[in-house]
Amino acid sequence: MKWMCSVSLVVALTLQPAFAESLIGPHALTPEARDAFVTDLLKKMTLDEKIGQLRLLSVGPDNPKKAIREMIKHGQVGAIFNTVTRPDIRVMQDQAMQLSRLKIPLFFAYDVVHGQRTVFPIPLGLAASWDLDAVAEVGRISAYEAADDGLNMTWAPMVDVTREPRWGRVSEGFGEDTYLTSQMGRTMVTSMQGKSPADRYSVMTSVKHFAAYGAVEGGREYNTVDMSPQRLAQDYLPPYKAALDAGSGGVMVALISLNGVPATANSWLLKDLLRDDWKFKGITISDHGAIKELIKHGVARDPQDAVRIAIQSGVNMSMSDEFYSKYLPGLVKSGAVSEQEIDDAARHVLNVKYDMGLFNDPYSHLGPKSSDPLDTNAESRLHRQQARDVARKSIVLLKNRLETLPLKKTGTIALIGPLADSQRDIMGSWSAAGVASQSVTVLQGIKNATAGKATVLYAKGANITDNKGVQDFLNIYEKSVTIDPHSPQEMLDEAVTTAKKSDVVVAVVGEAQGMAHEASSRSDITLPPGQLALIDALKATGKPLVLVLMNGRPLALVKENMQADALLETWFSGTEGGNAIADVLFGDYNPSGKLPISFPRSVGQIPIYYNHLNTGRPYDANHPDKYTSHYYDAVNGPLFPFGYGLSYTTFKVSPVTLSSKTMPHNGTVNASVTVTNTGRRDGATVVQMYLHDEVASISRPVQELKGFKRIMLKAGETKTVTFPIDVNDLMFWNARMQQVAEPGEFNVMIGLDSVHTNSAEFDYL
Ligand code: BGC
């Protein structure tokens, strides 16, 4: 015993000097302890080491693993992204912790946008659930799986409000509405970060893309954004603010220019607004290669200029861009950038590392080597049941003529379409570490549901697209679209023969996942011609036709809506998508999703959104007048409005009752309705509350979502839903950019979509 003690004493004494030098904890996770620690650490760092902290690198062909390890050893890297397994991450952390001079831990990030290994519906689909509990579950599971893989940060949530179905990234966000997006974003942040991003199974979030990326002109990727300060403040900024108020530790800067100034060079955005007004204390990260792009934006003369502008505008960390490391040393030497400016940026990086608990344990998300999973893709690591549950909630029933749905699990079902058996597409874009071979297709889901009861016949019927240029585009980085060896006519014939043998036809049509992605803008949002021809041919068989849509953006579906007996929007629904879709098709789950974005009739109507201004000459469909605001060659209004979605049961909403006809200054009014399930099945729906400020100093939207509640009602059941309304719901940015609530009349509208509402009025005093 005595001997053992003395040995441990010797060991302790021998390790003492090294330990004293070590930065590794325990440290109290408080802002005060962090500031003291980081201040002290910065004093120990060379200029090059500080600049190294500002560098965020992706492992890939440009940066092979070996080269990265060398850079880490020399303190030239602050963080890594796009590496997603514990063994790979461990090697890099070992390099930093064993061979770099100061042994500052790296952090590891990835685009965990709608799941890590278990893939959930794309964010647009999550928004369609209007279910914050479900979204919180997605956040928790995504963070759990990401942290379990060794990651510390995610590039999510993406809260770019958009009114642009042409924009491919509409799939990554939560739709067109500010309030809904804010709720979704906030929920993602709190669920992913948990109590603290330092916890074993939490990750830090990085809300993106700051700011207003979703408003790119014409929906063309990376294009310009130009908008009034009122619209920016009122409609586009609140979701970022909500995510930051919820504690998001990171902000990713948008690639676009806003009112002429690229976001990466926008000190008003990144300093005045973010730091001074919003008091943001975390880290700002440029988007991929954005610093370089300042030259092409035409605001920087050369690389040095770009670097100086970015750092002085408030970009702390540079993503996949060697410009900071290359040019900052010279800029500091020449005095164009001060060492204080480098310190400020490095401090933010070190602060978030501290908040992630990395100075307490650089391996906290890795554990000992012996604990690495033997099979990283192991089935046992997936959360299938939760994925199925959330996916069912995200599905929106758009049409159901004569109760075509739910289908019976008997007879013969023809399952047709290029997306019916695609494991890759159903996961959607940004599917993180999800593995296509683990996802359930619609074909598999329907077979699972009907096993031993019905006959399922399958024919592909058409390719996703027969356009060679589009096929090549979709396969540039990932060979994800395969073209059938049969001719389009042969495929069509087979589909028709299959349909004729069946009692009902279910056609799964839409987009390949790569059609709704970054850099996937479309000038046309209809289905590709081959798929349209397929629908025509199936319709001609006279069989009941169910169209299952799989897509990442609103599509223009006027004719298809007329042809289909039932229309089901399933987005890209993830790992368990096929089972979830089958649950809805056969009525094992009663659909309750609601559109988080308007579906236009044609591309020519874009932008079309529910919270528009009234104009001086609004169009009235009941009294059409030539000199009013409309297109003479189209029906006014969207095909499917914001908030819309059917159920297998029916609901009735009562007139709105108010607790008072007046709202005192800074007081509240409660608006209530009763909702009754008037059908034969139990079902959930989403009660939506909209407000309209009838007369104000600037024209206000005809309606704005200010509250929603998802409720479950048994057949015949009635529930009362009450929305408290207070002054915050009445506020807007006036012509002088002051946030005000003006006295006057307000209209409260409550309904189960944005069009069919009951209303009541109150006065704000
Ligand atoms: C995207 C970001 C993403 C980043 C890293 C960029 O191209 O715009 O949203 O987080 O790549 O993958």
Side-chain angles (χ1 to χ4, degrees):
M1 196 61 188
K2 208 171 168 215
W3 178 83
M4 277 177 71
C5 280
S6 60
V7 168
S8 44
L9 191 65
V10 173
V11 172
L13 287 173
T14 329
L15 288 179
Q16 194 96 34
F19 184 73
E21 288 294 311
S22 169
L23 302 170
I24 303 309
H27 304 286
L29 291 176
T30 62
E32 299 74 30
R34 179 187 74 182
D35 291 348
F37 174 85
V38 171
T39 303
D40 197 45
L41 174 53
L42 281 167
K43 286 187 195 140
K44 296 184 183 137
M45 296 170 75
T46 64
L47 176 66
D48 285 345
E49 281 167 338
K50 291 174 194 168
I51 293 172
Q53 287 301 308
L54 313 185
R55 187 159 194 207
L56 172 62
L57 271 187
S58 166
V59 182
D62 296 344
N63 289 308
K65 287 182 183 172
K66 202 165 157 231
I68 288 200
R69 284 208 292 273
E70 272 307 289
M71 290 186 244
I72 296 172
K73 185 167 126 190
H74 293 105
Q76 293 164 346
V77 186
I80 298 285
F81 75 113
N82 280 349
T83 297
V84 285
T85 64
R86 276 198 241 170
D88 284 350
I89 289 176
R90 183 187 307 284
V91 172
M92 291 190 261
Q93 195 68 304
D94 281 350
Q95 196 82 355
M97 297 317 295
Q98 290 164 14
L99 301 179
S100 71
R101 190 181 76 90
L102 283 174
K103 306 186 175 33
I104 297 175
L106 298 160
F107 75 79
F108 297 87
Y110 196 38
D111 288 278
V112 183
V113 180
H114 54 113
Q116 166 70 353
R117 298 205 167 265
T118 309
V119 181
F120 292 92
I122 54 168
L124 195 61
L126 294 179
S129 74
W130 297 56
D131 187 333
L132 298 178
D133 293 336
V135 172
E137 185 160 58
V138 172
R140 275 193 302 274
I141 292 172
S142 306
Y144 178 92
E145 292 181 356
D148 197 36
D149 274 341
L151 297 167
N152 311 102
M153 193 184 244
T154 169
W155 311 137
M158 194 277 224
V159 295
D160 302 325
V161 166
T162 188
R163 297 161 173 175
E164 259 306 342
R166 288 173 287 189
W167 190 46
R169 304 197 81 167
V170 71
S171 55
E172 289 172 58
F174 301 110
E176 78 185 32
D177 183 64
T178 310
Y179 179 83
L180 182 61
T181 302
S182 300
Q183 297 289 325
M184 293 281 155
R186 176 184 296 133
T187 304
M188 272 295 187
V189 170
T190 49
S191 57
M192 292 187 101
Q193 294 198 155
K195 282 198 207 75
S196 156
D199 289 348
R200 170 65 187 98
Y201 291 114
S202 291
V203 290
M204 187 177 273
T205 57
S206 189
V207 61
K208 66 189 187 184
H209 304 82
F210 196 59
Y213 186 14
V216 281
E217 280 177 3
R220 208 186 72 219
E221 186 65 299
Y222 314 126
N223 203 5
T224 306
V225 175
D226 206 308
M227 69 167 67
S228 72
Q230 284 77 13
R231 177 169 278 191
L232 181 67
Q234 189 69 28
D235 297 345
Y236 286 84
L237 292 179
Y240 308 105
K241 174 82 163 54
L244 296 178
D245 288 347
S248 182
V251 166
M252 189 185 292
V253 182
L255 290 162
I256 44 127
S257 70
L258 179 60
N259 298 335
V261 185
T264 308
N266 202 321
S267 63
W268 171 76
L269 208 50
L270 303 180
K271 286 184 157 174
D272 302 4
L273 183 68
L274 194 60
R275 301 278 181 199
D276 298 348
D277 286 5
W278 292 2
K279 311 283 176 231
F280 176 58
K281 299 274 185 285
I283 186 179
T284 58
I285 298 164
S286 69
D287 202 347
H288 214 285
I291 298 170
K292 271 185 185 168
E293 292 171 17
L294 293 180
I295 299 173
K296 292 211 170 123
H297 272 292
V299 298
R301 219 172 298 118
D302 52 31
Q304 282 89 342
D305 211 21
V307 168
R308 180 187 59 74
I309 292 171
I311 196 143
Q312 291 180 341
S313 301
V315 176
N316 304 147
M317 200 166 203
S318 103
M319 180 192 286
S320 276
D321 191 323
E322 72 286 5
F323 271 25
Y324 265 17
S325 359
K326 245 184 177 166
Y327 300 108
L328 277 174
L331 286 165
V332 173
K333 209 164 169 204
S334 72
V337 170
S338 68
E339 188 151 359
Q340 184 58 49
E341 284 167 324
I342 306 287
D343 278 14
D344 288 347
R347 177 182 289 279
H348 287 302
V349 179
L350 297 169
N351 279 351
V352 294
K353 289 188 175 181
Y354 191 98
D355 292 344
M356 289 170 186
L358 288 165
F359 290 110
N360 285 350
D361 179 4
Y363 295 90
S364 67
H365 285 188
L366 293 164
K369 197 171 183 173
S370 56
S371 70
D372 287 355
L374 294 176
D375 172 8
T376 45
N377 300 329
E379 189 54 45
S380 60
R381 301 184 68 199
L382 298 184
H383 292 82
R384 286 192 178 274
Q385 188 215 321
Q386 294 89 335
R388 181 169 179 165
D389 182 50
V390 177
R392 305 192 309 184
K393 291 177 170 162
S394 74
I395 293 171
V396 186
L397 180 64
L398 298 173
K399 179 181 179 183
N400 196 15
R401 200 178 77 89
L402 302 175
E403 299 192 359
T404 304
L405 291 179
L407 301 176
K408 294 190 191 61
K409 293 179 186 172
T410 53
T412 303
I413 300 166
L415 184 65
I416 315 280
L419 291 153
D421 196 26
S422 170
Q423 288 188 304
R424 175 65 192 95
D425 291 304
I426 204 164
M427 297 199 301
S429 65
W430 298 107
S431 48
V435 176
S437 61
Q438 291 182 313
S439 66
V440 180
T441 66
V442 184
L443 175 59
Q444 191 56 50
I446 290 187
K447 281 186 178 164
N448 295 343
T450 57
K453 297 175 200 147
T455 307
V456 180
L457 305 175
Y458 164 73
K460 188 168 175 183
N463 291 310
I464 288 279
T465 170
D466 295 314
N467 181 318
K468 177 79 171 60
V470 178
Q471 289 167 1
D472 292 347
F473 166 80
L474 293 172
N475 284 335
I476 297 175
Y477 292 107
E478 181 188 350
K479 286 268 167 287
S480 59
V481 172
T482 48
I483 302 308
D484 203 273
H486 298 94
S487 73
Q489 191 57 50
E490 285 167 338
M491 292 168 81
L492 206 63
D493 292 345
E494 189 200 4
V496 169
T497 311
T498 309
K500 284 183 177 161
K501 285 189 226 154
S502 310
D503 302 309
V504 61
V505 178
V506 178
V508 191
V509 293
E511 301 182 291
Q513 56 83 27
M515 291 165 85
H517 189 30
E518 182 179 351
S520 297
S521 296
R522 297 181 64 186
S523 67
D524 174 6
I525 55 166
T526 56
L527 292 173
Q531 296 193 51
L532 294 177
L534 174 63
I535 296 171
D536 286 345
L538 295 174
K539 176 73 187 164
T541 64
K543 300 285 177 175
L545 179 61
V546 178
L547 292 184
V548 171
L549 299 162
M550 199 181 283
N551 47 289
R553 55 157 60 76
L555 297 173
L557 300 160
V558 174
K559 185 173 172 199
E560 300 81 323
N561 180 42
M562 290 192 292
Q563 291 171 311
D565 294 288
L567 201 56
L568 200 62
E569 176 54 76
T570 70
W571 319 105
F572 295 112
S573 48
T575 309
E576 277 289 312
N579 283 329
I581 292 167
D583 287 340
V584 172
L585 286 173
F586 294 105
D588 295 320
Y589 184 83
N590 186 354
S592 56
K594 302 278 185 176
L595 294 180
I597 188 163
S598 312
F599 273 43
R601 292 169 193 275
S602 71
V603 89
Q605 286 186 314
I606 301 171
I608 187 164
Y609 48 96
Y610 84 94
N611 50 346
H612 58 85
L613 303 188
N614 202 35
T615 80
R617 296 184 179 196
Y619 177 78
D620 178 353
N622 296 322
H623 306 96
D625 181 358
K626 176 170 180 184
Y627 292 100
T628 55
S629 181
H630 69 295
Y631 298 105
Y632 75 80
D633 58 352
V635 177
N636 230 32
L639 180 62
F640 300 115
F642 176 80
Y644 170 81
L646 304 170
S647 162
Y648 295 152
T649 187
T650 47
F651 299 99
K652 190 165 169 27
V653 181
S654 73
V656 178
T657 54
L658 296 178
S659 58
S660 163
K661 291 296 261 178
T662 54
M663 185 200 282
H665 193 67
N666 290 334
T668 49
V669 163
N670 288 331
S672 307
V673 290
T674 57
V675 184
T676 305
N677 181 341
T678 48
R680 283 165 289 135
R681 281 171 183 267
D682 300 350
T685 189
V686 181
V687 190
Q688 304 158 35
M689 189 273 284
Y690 299 87
L691 284 181
H692 175 216
D693 186 346
E694 294 182 15
V695 181
S697 59
I698 65 172
S699 190
R700 302 284 297 122
V702 292
Q703 53 183 160
E704 282 179 302
L705 183 73
K706 292 291 175 183
F708 62 87
K709 211 167 205 169
R710 193 171 184 282
I711 53 168
M712 178 71 202
L713 290 173
K714 293 202 178 316
E717 195 186 356
T718 297
K719 274 187 186 163
T720 301
V721 179
T722 299
F723 295 99
I725 302 167
D726 68 23
V727 67
N728 293 311
D729 301 314
L730 315 185
M731 302 264 248
F732 66 94
W733 294 86
N734 69 15
R736 295 170 175 215
M737 282 306 287
Q738 297 152 331
Q739 207 179 10
V740 293
E742 294 177 355
E745 246 170 46
F746 285 81
N747 194 11
V748 190
M749 290 156 265
I750 304 183
L752 305 182
D753 62 52
S754 60
V755 171
H756 305 97
T757 56
N758 294 333
S759 62
E761 278 178 1
F762 69 88
D763 270 321
Y764 178 58
L765 303 178

